[in-house]
Amino acid sequence: MNRRAQPWLGTLVDISILDALPDNLLQVAFQAAFGVVREVHECMSFHSDDSDIASFNRAAIGAKIKLSPHTFSVLNLAQELNQVTAGIFDVRIASRLAACEFLPHSASTPLPEYQSGQQAYELFNDGQIKKLRNDWLDVGGIAKGYAVDQAILALQNFGIQHACVNAGGDLSVLGQHEIAIRDPQQPTVMAKKMLLQDQAMASSATYFSQKKWRGDWHSALFDGRSGRSLHAAHSYSVLAPCCMLADGLTKLLAATQDARHPCFEAYQAKAFIL
């Protein structure tokens, strides 16, 4: 097995290739996979002034912005998930994350007021987005999964049949691969091992992000219906046909605590809570 890791998307992206390949082809495959992850990071980073997301957040209401195909795909699914989860999944949650100091913001820039049940943007077939209201977007709850999917596609383009791409617990495998899930009560201990076959899985939990802020406990997981932080001491995992979908659906699982929610069956996904 050959393995490489690089820091992107606020986490460590780990890629393992199990196929026996010549060294030169192996290096090119790793470069291609990490290259597309870098592209996703640069398009969708909340922190980078040059990203599509930062451009949208700075834009005036009514402005139109040309998006990269990567950002367009992610925001398109984000809009769909917002509708089918009745507002639980909402990329407009950025202002709440910033208010609780999970995302940076300048003290001189007023935070947009978060209001549930609103639409911040409209997408057009020519790849543009129109800003409909004063909201900030953060796609951290879905972009990692998308990056994993794109890295897997890059590896498949080289004919690779056995590999794993893992971006901080959002992962996808080619062929058969054993993965482990952390114990939410003891995050340094692996509580469950699973054998995946050509599948994607994402896990979300509060154990690394939870903190006390202004007297109350908060985590980086939020319920879009209320704009409130979730802080149950569980781990939420979803198996799905693609990692972007699994990543987004973990927020539904965390908010509802319902592994049998009809959305999972509708997307051919399976969910479990530890």
Side-chain angles (χ1 to χ4, degrees), residues 15-50:
I15 299 179
S16 301
I17 298 176
L18 286 76
D19 291 12
L21 298 174
D23 285 346
N24 60 334
L25 183 58
L26 191 66
Q27 287 303 113
V28 173
F30 274 123
Q31 288 172 5
F34 281 119
V36 74
V37 172
R38 183 188 68 247
E39 289 176 14
V40 173
H41 173 95
E42 291 174 348
C43 290
M44 288 178 254
S45 170
F46 181 89
H47 308 270
S48 173
D49 290 340
D50 298 328

Side-chain angles (χ1 to χ4, degrees), residues 119-130:
Q119 290 296 322
Y121 60 88
E122 181 180 0
L123 296 172
F124 295 88
N125 292 335
D126 63 358
Q128 290 195 91
I129 186 173
K130 181 179 181 180

